[in-house]
Amino acid sequence: MHSATALEDVNGYRQMYSLPELADCSADAQPEQKLPSGTDPCFVQLTQAGTVTKDAETSDQGWAQEIALDIEMASAVCPHCSILLVEAQSTSFTDLKKAVATAAAFKGVVAISNSYGGKDVIESPDSPYAAAAAKGIAVVASSGDSGYGVSAPASFASVIGVGGTTLSTNADFSWKSETAWARGGSGCSILNPKSAWQDSAVTGCVGKSVVDVAAVADPDTGVSIYFDGQWYSFGGTSAAAPVIAGMFAMKANFGDSAGQYLWANRAALRDVTSGTNGRCTNAIFCNAGGGFDGPTGWGAPNGGGAF
């Protein structure tokens, strides 16, 4: 699903916030060559096969807006990171998995953000998400925007699930309060095993508890996005996932397992203790509370501390 304005969009966003433009280095990008970072980051846009697209037309407006949301949130959190956008041919899991595999093949990729989800399915033995995570890449996915309920790939044992919050700020834009977003996804997978990093804090779930961490997602307290020459306010866990991916990319040296690192440093997250996303038999999976809970995991970023 191709966005013809992706580079213009992210650079329009960066210009507003006094960040230097990203150069297009798509034609020179090779998996064995590490993408630049620091003072000279760039932008790469490829197909799921790893080729530079020749299409000058956007294939789907809604998908292109999702792309703008993803890359701009990642760029906002980690402005000195290069952005690698791999566009799947369709919204099918088959094509999206190929896109993940292509992204993971690039040297120096630190985090992969997946802002999509579908019904809970069993993670395949040849899962590209698991292969990427095994390489030390932080693989994150949004938990869904339909309230309590399990969504894949956030339900996969190899993936860090990202839930949503409603974020309120003071007049100077400093943090004021945060609650679980009413439409953020959460739950306990009965198809996928518990992640290696999920310990005894997750009670009442023998499988993967979908959400590990959360970030702003409520459209009513949403984020500003530049798309095709105009500004919009967007939300959803599609905003939260690239925020967390950007945090991991900013950290960069979190060891062999991003999930293990996150859980080991959970005390540095801001605990979200109120809010609900629906009704469930085991209240921990649909109600925020002290410590670990279903909708927000261990909480939301408190600056970059946990990362």
Side-chain angles (χ1 to χ4, degrees), residues 8-212:
E8 290 81 359
D9 293 338
V10 71
N11 277 335
Y13 180 90
R14 290 172 69 90
Q15 182 180 29
M16 170 62 77
Y17 297 103
S18 301
L19 297 170
E21 285 193 354
L22 297 176
D24 187 355
C25 56
S26 301
D28 300 322
Q30 299 295 329
E32 65 276 4
Q33 180 180 341
K34 189 174 181 179
L35 298 178
S37 61
T39 59
D40 193 28
C42 68
F43 179 80
V44 177
Q45 184 173 10
L46 302 174
T47 68
Q48 67 185 43
T51 60
V52 179
T53 181
K54 304 296 184 182
D55 195 344
E57 298 292 329
T58 293
S59 59
D60 183 275
Q61 195 84 348
W63 196 256
Q65 290 179 345
E66 287 279 353
I67 288 173
L69 174 60
D70 261 34
I71 61 180
E72 289 169 29
M73 285 301 94
S75 185
V77 174
C78 191
H80 300 296
C81 289
S82 286
I83 301 293
L84 170 61
L85 168 62
V86 183
E87 296 176 316
Q89 184 174 306
S90 75
T91 59
S92 72
F93 267 120
T94 298
D95 285 334
L96 289 166
K97 287 195 296 184
K98 290 178 181 177
V100 169
T102 294
F106 273 78
K107 184 178 180 180
V109 166
V110 175
I112 298 175
S113 178
N114 302 279
S115 288
Y116 55 85
K119 68 177 183 179
D120 194 17
V121 294
I122 297 173
E123 184 173 12
S124 60
D126 60 345
S127 165
Y129 306 92
K135 293 173 65 175
I137 296 172
V139 183
V140 308
S142 53
S143 67
D145 301 341
S146 300
Y148 172 71
V150 179
S151 174
S155 66
F156 293 169
S158 62
V159 173
I160 296 168
V162 183
T165 67
T166 296
L167 174 64
S168 297
T169 60
N170 295 306
D172 63 354
F173 301 109
S174 61
W175 184 91
K176 182 179 181 181
S177 65
E178 207 161 0
T179 62
W181 180 40
R183 287 170 51 196
S186 69
C188 173
S189 175
I190 61 173
L191 300 178
N192 293 293
K194 193 186 302 291
S195 295
W197 56 79
Q198 290 190 338
D199 57 30
S200 58
V202 182
T203 58
C205 180
V206 297
K208 167 70 185 301
S209 181
V210 172
V211 175
D212 296 285

Side-chain angles (χ1 to χ4, degrees), residues 237-250:
T237 52
S238 293
V243 165
I244 298 300
M247 288 279 184
F248 275 113
M250 182 176 64

